């Protein structure tokens, strides 16, 4: 309601009895009423034989949750404790319930799924894939590690960039930090607290979101995307020096009515779904490693000091027939000649002195 009112240019009288109870609430307060893990994750197993709750042996939860631009977010294997193998044997199988009844806009109903390193928290709609109900998605993952040169070595990264408020540094986390700083500068609050609150931000109330937060957010998006004009805000985000990238290959198949009918026999009563309701709300996701190889991409200097030294030596050898040994020999001969000349001069001086006497 806040966004739609702002987009139409309308004003809200926050002292009106209809809105007054909500003016001091936060966006997160609304997200907390969204479906929980138990309502969303209907089935979770690894390799098809183990329930996710039985994967860990330390009795810690297999997921954490936080709230941000994508709403309520569940992070599976948030600490990287769970390991896997290549192929179907190590795959993670999830059957999800989109809870269609909870949506106000029925034109776009989907989950945003992002596969990332467990030290990174900067997940947005732009960094994930969208999966819709009625389909099974099988996602193969290949790992690539990139290593960039520091600016002092001729590269573009800055090794002084360490962990920020969104975990390990990457371009997305840098832009999200810039967004938070911009909003806090303009409104003295942020829309959501970052996972690691390093700056003691204050969360905007709905009144602040409507009056300042959302307009400032739109201004920020315009500022960073308008490359034709200079603006007052500049976000300096160098490329990360070390970055792990997961390349995804996705295949999709439609869920059949026979499959939905079987699920309806066991779960239809729980959510009051029909067979068609199962197809309208259920989505299956299977994630696996295509192989356990890691592709490493390393940036190296195009022309280093040792390249220069080798080229100079090669040119000298080609044009002069010179090498290190011939250079040493030339230096030795020159030193010998200088020594002999100085010796002869001293002997001549001594002879003249004796003749005079």
């Amino acid at each position: 309601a806040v966004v739609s009112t702002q987009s139409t240019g309308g004003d809200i009288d926050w002292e009106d009895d209809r809105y007054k109870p909500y003016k001091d609430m936060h966006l997160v307060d609304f997200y907390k009423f969204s479906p929980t893990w138990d309502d969303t994750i209907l089935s979770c197993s690894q390799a098809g034989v183990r329930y996710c709750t039985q994967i860990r042996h330390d009795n810690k939860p297999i997921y954490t949750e936080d709230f941000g631009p994508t709403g309520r977010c569940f992070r599976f294997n948030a600490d990287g404790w769970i390991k896997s193998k290549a192929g179907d044997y190590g795959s993670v199988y999830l059957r999800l319930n989109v809870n269609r009844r909870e949506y106000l806009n029925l034109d776009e109903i989907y989950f945003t799924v992002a596969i990332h390193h467990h030290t990174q928290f900067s997940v947005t709609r732009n960094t994930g894939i969208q999966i819709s109900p009625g389909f099974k998605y099988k996602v193969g993952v290949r790992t690539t590690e990139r290593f960039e040169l520091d600016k002092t070595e001729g590269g573009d990264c800055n090794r002084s960039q360490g962990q920020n408020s969104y975990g390990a540094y990457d371009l997305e986390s840098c832009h999200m930090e810039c967004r938070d700083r911009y909003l806090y500068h303009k409104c003295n609050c942020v829309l959501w607290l970052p996972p690691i609150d390093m700056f003691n931000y204050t969360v905007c109330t709905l009144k602040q979101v409507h009056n300042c937060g959302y307009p400032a957010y739109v201004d920020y998006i315009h500022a960073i995307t308008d490359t034709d004009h200079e603006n007052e805000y500049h976000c300096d985000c160098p490329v990360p020096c070390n970055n792990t990238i997961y390349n995804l290959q996705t295949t999709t198949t439609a869920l059949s009515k026979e499959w939905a009918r079987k699920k309806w026999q066991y779960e239809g009563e729980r959510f009051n779904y029909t067979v068609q309701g199962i197809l309208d709300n259920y989505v299956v996701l299977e994630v696996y490693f295509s192989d356990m190889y890691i592709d490493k991409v390393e940036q190296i200097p195009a022309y280093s000091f040792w390249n220069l030294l080798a080229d100079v030596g090669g040119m000298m050898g080609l044009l002069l027939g010179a090498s290190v040994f011939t250079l040493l020999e030339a230096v030795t001969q020159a030193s010998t000649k200088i020594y002999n000349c100085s010796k002869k001069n001293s002997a001549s001086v001594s002879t003249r002195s004796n003749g005079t006497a």
Side-chain angles (χ1 to χ4, degrees):
V2 174
V3 173
S4 62
T5 303
Q6 177 62 36
S7 62
T8 57
D11 293 326
I12 292 180
D13 181 9
W14 291 101
E15 299 305 320
D16 190 308
D17 291 339
R18 294 175 298 173
Y19 305 113
K20 190 173 183 179
Y22 307 105
K23 68 176 184 178
D24 294 327
M25 293 181 65
H26 307 97
L27 289 177
V28 174
D29 295 329
F30 285 96
Y31 293 157
K32 290 181 179 180
F33 291 102
S34 61
T36 63
W37 170 274
D38 293 332
D39 294 328
T40 304
I41 315 297
L42 303 181
S43 177
C44 176
S45 62
Q46 187 180 33
V49 296
R50 291 191 298 175
Y51 293 104
C52 288
T53 53
Q54 300 174 343
I55 295 177
R56 300 193 65 138
H57 304 291
D58 54 2
N59 296 323
K60 292 184 179 180
I62 58 172
Y63 75 94
T64 60
E65 67 177 30
D66 55 58
F67 303 91
T70 54
R72 185 194 290 262
C73 178
F74 302 108
R75 298 187 183 276
F76 181 81
N77 195 24
D79 59 357
W81 189 90
I82 301 173
K83 309 300 179 183
S84 183
K85 296 183 177 180
D88 293 338
Y89 181 78
S91 65
V92 174
Y93 175 94
L94 298 171
R95 181 158 47 86
L96 312 174
N97 180 14
V98 78
N99 292 283
R100 181 180 290 265
R101 300 189 187 101
E102 301 292 332
Y103 283 75
L104 297 177
N105 181 11
L106 296 179
D107 295 334
E108 295 185 358
I109 299 178
Y110 55 83
F111 288 106
T112 298
V113 178
I115 299 174
H116 58 91
H117 197 271
H118 65 88
T119 59
Q120 296 173 332
F121 295 87
S122 53
V123 177
T124 66
R125 291 182 177 87
N126 298 327
T127 57
I129 60 174
Q130 296 174 355
I131 59 176
S132 301
F135 296 92
K136 176 182 178 180
Y137 296 83
K138 193 166 185 176
V139 182
V141 181
R142 288 183 62 96
T143 307
T144 300
E145 292 183 354
R146 292 186 61 90
F147 302 91
E148 306 286 343
L149 287 175
D150 187 71
K151 290 182 178 180
T152 58
E153 302 170 325
D156 296 322
C157 84
N158 184 357
R159 297 199 184 279
S160 63
Q161 295 283 0
Q163 186 182 41
N164 55 29
S165 57
Y166 287 89
Y169 176 85
D170 62 359
L171 289 177
E172 196 68 31
S173 67
C174 179
H175 285 297
M176 295 174 79
E177 267 203 339
C178 287
R179 177 204 64 197
D180 291 343
R181 286 197 297 267
Y182 184 87
L183 291 176
Y184 196 76
H185 173 71
K186 292 291 186 179
C187 308
N188 202 32
C189 63
V190 295
L191 299 180
W192 309 275
L193 282 181
I196 306 172
D197 188 13
M198 303 168 61
F199 306 103
N200 296 320
Y201 286 138
T202 302
V203 182
C204 296
T205 63
L206 291 186
K207 181 179 179 179
Q208 290 175 309
V209 171
H210 176 265
N211 295 339
C212 181
Y214 183 73
Y217 177 75
V218 173
D219 291 341
Y220 168 77
I221 296 299
H222 290 165
I224 65 172
T225 56
D226 186 2
T227 58
D228 297 329
H229 303 87
E230 293 185 0
N231 53 73
E232 62 176 344
Y233 191 75
H234 175 68
C235 184
D236 183 21
C237 291
V239 298
C241 295
N242 304 323
N243 193 23
T244 301
I245 304 171
Y246 296 99
N247 304 299
L248 310 181
Q249 183 177 4
T250 306
T251 58
T252 307
T253 57
L255 299 176
S256 66
K257 284 191 175 182
E258 289 74 14
W259 179 89
R261 190 173 291 110
K262 292 180 181 178
K263 299 302 177 185
W264 172 77
Q265 294 176 356
Y266 299 100
E267 300 175 358
E269 184 176 352
R270 174 184 174 184
F271 298 103
N272 194 24
Y273 286 159
T274 62
V275 173
Q276 185 60 42
I278 295 288
L279 294 175
D280 291 340
N281 287 274
Y282 282 18
V283 54
V284 175
L285 174 66
E286 185 176 359
V287 182
Y288 66 98
F289 280 106
S290 301
D291 54 56
M292 300 308 292
Y293 293 101
I294 299 178
D295 298 325
K296 292 190 175 182
V297 180
E298 184 175 359
Q299 186 183 33
I300 59 175
Y303 199 78
S304 65
F305 170 76
W306 299 109
N307 296 128
L308 175 63
L309 189 62
D311 288 343
V312 170
M315 292 300 296
M316 291 181 64
L318 177 64
L319 300 178
L320 305 177
S323 65
V324 174
F325 295 104
T326 56
L327 289 175
L328 291 175
E329 183 179 1
V331 171
T332 303
Q333 290 179 353
S335 301
T336 303
K337 287 184 178 180
I338 293 173
Y339 174 76
N340 291 335
C341 289
S342 62
K343 188 175 182 180
K344 288 180 180 180
N345 291 335
S346 63
S348 176
V349 172
S350 177
T351 301
R352 290 195 189 98
S353 299
N354 291 334
T356 303

